[in-house]
């Protein structure tokens, strides 16, 4: 019941963001700036609150969670390689589907839900999901979507003999690849070690070494963390206002993917975890991490790296809408 109430709160916040965008209270520029506040200030503050409470986590439980995180992402990567073929997805959308399978909205939606259900102390467990997530999204995620882009580009090549045996598209891709490749490689470390990951690492250091935090710092961080849920949900709602929602529910493959992503994977995952872990908080955190909708970063990467941006955007929108119902449903089944 608590989870259902929390999801209803998040849905209402999304609806407010949706109508604010329709009424031009939230514009694209405002949404972008609010996203920057959430990503760079509010969400890292929420992560840091996890190490500032009185709750203590045993080293064995942390070790268990680390093993679960590694195994979970390994299995998701295997599933991502199989799912596009099983669903008979068009080849140009393979990269988008692979990224959507692996990467969920654990920051914008997962952390607020975990905080509401299990308290800020549970965010220490959730923080362990962030480091591999960021490493994978800027390595595997870019690779999957870039491969999709290259395959689409190869279909546009002109027959040999025109333009000296090389198409202008191919030449342009080569030039862009050299320039973009340099920029992407040089910025990769900075992207992986972003402020969210730094906050996760810092929270673990503060916790493990019992570093004392002044009360005024705790109060400031807590107040900033309270911005995460309302702002992030309003941003998601505003993004939904730019999409034709009726078309989302006519894509049979995407609906089937959503069923697998939002129900089958989290139910199977938590039932498997329960065979080895008895701690309810760890199981609950894993449930939320697996049951959250597709992360908005998949659409951003698809746009930046010439992937199937339309499909990625539809995946984010559809799974976000459905998650209001599916997360409580999954919890009712496995918790």
């Amino acid at each position: 019941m608590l989870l259902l109430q929390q999801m209803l709160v998040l849905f209402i916040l999304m609806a407010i963001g949706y109508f604010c965008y329709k009424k031009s209270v939230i514009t694209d520029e405002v949404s972008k700036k609010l996203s920057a506040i959430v990503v760079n200030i509010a969400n890292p503050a929420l992560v840091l609150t996890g190490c500032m409470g009185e709750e203590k986590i045993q080293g064995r439980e942390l070790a268990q969670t680390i093993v679960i995180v590694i195994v979970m992402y390994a299995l998701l990567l295997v599933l991502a390689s199989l799912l596009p073929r099983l669903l008979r997805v068009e080849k140009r959308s393979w990269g988008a589907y692979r990224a959507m399978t692996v990467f969920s909205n654990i920051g914008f939606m997962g952390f607020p839900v975990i905080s509401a259900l299990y308290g800020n102390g549970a965010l220490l467990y959730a923080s362990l999901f962030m480091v591999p997530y960021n490493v994978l999204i800027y390595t595997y995620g870019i690779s999957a979507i870039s491969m999709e882009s290259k395959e689409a580009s190869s279909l546009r090549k002109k027959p040999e003999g025109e333009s000296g045996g090389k198409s202008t598209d191919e030449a342009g891709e080569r030039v862009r690849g050299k320039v973009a490749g340099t920029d992407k490689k040089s910025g990769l470390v900075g992207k992986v070690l972003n402020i969210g990951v730094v906050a996760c690492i810092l929270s673990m250091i503060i916790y493990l070494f019992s570093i004392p935090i002044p009360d005024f710092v705790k109060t400031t961080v807590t107040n900033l963390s309270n911005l995460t849920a309302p702002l992030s949900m309003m941003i998601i709602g505003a993004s939904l206002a730019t999409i034709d929602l009726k078309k989302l529910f006519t894509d049979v493959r995407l609906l089937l993917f959503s069923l697998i992503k939002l129900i089958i994977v989290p139910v199977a995952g938590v039932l498997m975890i329960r065979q080895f872990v008895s701690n309810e908080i760890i199981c609950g955190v894993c449930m939320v991490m697996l049951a959250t909708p597709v992360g908005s970063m998949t659409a951003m990467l698809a746009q930046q790296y010439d992937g199937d941006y339309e499909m990625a955007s539809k995946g984010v929108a559809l799974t976000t809408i459905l998650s209001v119902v599916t997360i409580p449903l999954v919890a009712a089944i496995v918790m």
Side-chain angles (χ1 to χ4, degrees):
M1 183 60 70
L2 177 61
L3 180 56
L4 179 59
Q5 290 177 352
Q6 179 61 24
M7 294 309 299
L8 285 174
V9 170
L10 296 182
F11 178 77
I12 292 170
L13 291 171
M14 285 168 53
I16 291 171
Y18 181 91
F19 287 111
C20 282
Y21 188 92
K22 288 293 187 182
K23 297 296 183 181
S24 298
V25 175
I26 296 178
T27 62
D28 291 332
E29 185 64 24
V30 170
S31 180
K32 189 179 297 184
K33 290 180 179 180
L34 290 176
S35 295
I37 292 173
V38 172
V39 170
N40 297 309
I41 300 174
N43 209 48
L46 181 62
V47 171
L48 287 172
T49 59
C51 66
M52 295 180 181
E54 298 300 323
E55 300 93 339
K56 291 295 178 184
I57 301 170
Q58 300 300 321
R60 180 173 175 272
E61 294 171 342
L62 284 174
Q64 273 186 335
T65 309
I66 291 171
V67 172
I68 290 170
V69 169
I70 293 171
V71 173
M72 188 189 85
Y73 277 116
L75 292 177
L76 285 175
L77 289 172
V78 172
L79 180 62
S81 67
L82 299 174
L83 206 51
R85 290 184 174 89
L86 293 175
L87 294 176
R88 297 183 179 180
V89 174
E90 292 182 16
K91 207 163 187 178
R92 66 186 180 87
S93 299
W94 278 17
Y97 270 86
R98 285 170 178 164
M100 290 192 298
T101 302
V102 177
F103 304 112
S104 300
N105 198 348
I106 64 177
F108 269 45
M109 185 171 282
F111 277 44
V113 171
I114 289 170
S115 177
L117 290 178
Y118 302 107
N120 289 342
L123 293 172
L124 279 170
Y125 295 117
S127 296
L128 296 174
F129 288 80
M130 284 297 293
V131 178
Y133 181 98
N134 280 277
V135 171
L136 285 170
I137 201 164
Y138 287 111
T139 52
Y140 174 82
I142 289 175
S143 175
I145 289 171
S146 297
M147 188 180 300
E148 169 187 299
S149 175
K150 289 175 184 175
E151 288 173 355
S153 177
S154 67
L155 296 175
R156 297 195 302 268
K157 287 182 181 179
K158 294 181 181 179
E160 202 167 317
E162 295 182 27
S163 302
K166 301 277 187 179
S167 72
T168 53
D169 279 349
E170 183 182 358
E173 283 294 327
R174 189 173 68 251
V175 172
R176 285 194 296 273
K178 287 180 179 178
V179 176
T182 303
D183 292 340
K184 289 167 191 172
K185 286 178 182 177
S186 63
L188 183 59
V189 174
K191 288 178 179 178
V192 171
L193 291 176
N194 58 52
I195 190 168
V197 174
V198 170
C200 292
I201 295 171
L202 187 59
S203 68
M204 295 302 298
I205 292 172
I206 293 171
Y207 176 81
L208 293 173
F209 293 96
S210 300
I211 298 173
I213 305 296
D215 288 340
F216 76 92
V217 174
K218 288 183 181 180
T219 302
T220 302
V221 171
T222 300
N223 286 335
L224 288 173
S225 72
N226 291 336
L227 297 173
T228 305
L231 287 183
S232 60
M233 291 304 106
M234 288 178 69
I235 293 165
I236 291 172
S239 69
L240 294 178
T242 65
I243 297 172
D244 186 347
L245 299 182
K246 292 180 182 178
K247 291 183 179 179
L248 292 179
F249 296 93
T250 58
D251 190 327
V252 177
R253 285 190 181 88
L254 191 58
L255 284 169
L256 186 55
F257 166 81
S258 300
L259 172 67
I260 296 170
K261 168 79 175 173
L262 298 176
I263 298 179
I264 295 176
V265 168
V267 168
V270 175
L271 290 177
M272 189 184 304
I273 291 167
R274 279 191 173 278
Q275 302 302 311
F276 308 97
V277 178
S278 58
N279 187 303
E280 288 296 320
I281 294 180
I282 294 177
C283 292
V285 169
C286 291
M287 183 273 293
V288 174
M289 293 290 100
L290 286 169
T292 45
V294 174
S296 57
M297 274 297 294
T298 57
M300 295 178 194
L301 288 179
Q303 186 177 43
Q304 184 176 355
Y305 292 91
D306 299 321
D308 193 343
Y309 173 68
E310 181 182 356
M311 181 57 66
S313 298
K314 287 168 64 177
V316 173
L318 181 60
T319 56
T320 299
I321 294 169
L322 294 177
S323 68
V324 176
V325 175
T326 58
I327 291 178
L329 176 61
V330 169
I333 295 171
V334 299
M335 300 304 292

